[in-house]
Amino acid sequence: MFHRKKKNTVSTAYDPAKMRPALRCSICTGEQVAGFQRLDDGGFEEVMLIRNEADLRLFREQYNIVGSIEKIY
């Protein structure tokens, strides 16, 4: 009746020519949300909440992100 939602382990692609990975961080609460910032208008598309290093590692694995991820405050 109450089942946990299975995590998507399949790699999902994004277009690096149109978007870049970013972490949107709250100065007050420290909450971090991983997603992609559009290069044309600066809009942000949320993908997942980052609670710990394991969540960040999962985000990197899902989208094959290597290198640093910009933080947006």
Side-chain angles (χ1 to χ4, degrees):
M1 187 158 133
F2 298 104
H3 299 283
R4 287 187 175 234
K5 189 175 181 180
K6 293 183 181 180
K7 292 186 179 181
N8 183 7
T9 58
V10 178
S11 177
T12 310
Y14 71 99
D15 188 2
K18 295 181 182 179
M19 300 177 142
R20 69 173 169 220
L23 290 174
R24 190 170 65 187
C25 306
S26 170
I27 295 173
C28 299
T29 63
E31 180 181 82
Q32 295 183 350
V33 177
F36 297 97
Q37 186 176 23
R38 291 188 299 274
L39 298 175
D40 57 355
D41 63 358
F44 187 78
E45 294 182 21
E46 295 180 359
V47 175
M48 66 185 296
L49 178 66
I50 303 297
R51 294 184 207 121
N52 52 34
E53 283 296 317
D55 289 341
L56 184 58
R57 197 173 320 115
L58 178 65
F59 175 69
R60 287 178 178 274
E61 289 173 2
Q62 277 185 325
Y63 294 95
N64 296 322
I65 299 171
V66 180
S68 64
I69 299 177
E70 180 184 359
K71 290 188 177 185
I72 302 169
Y73 293 96

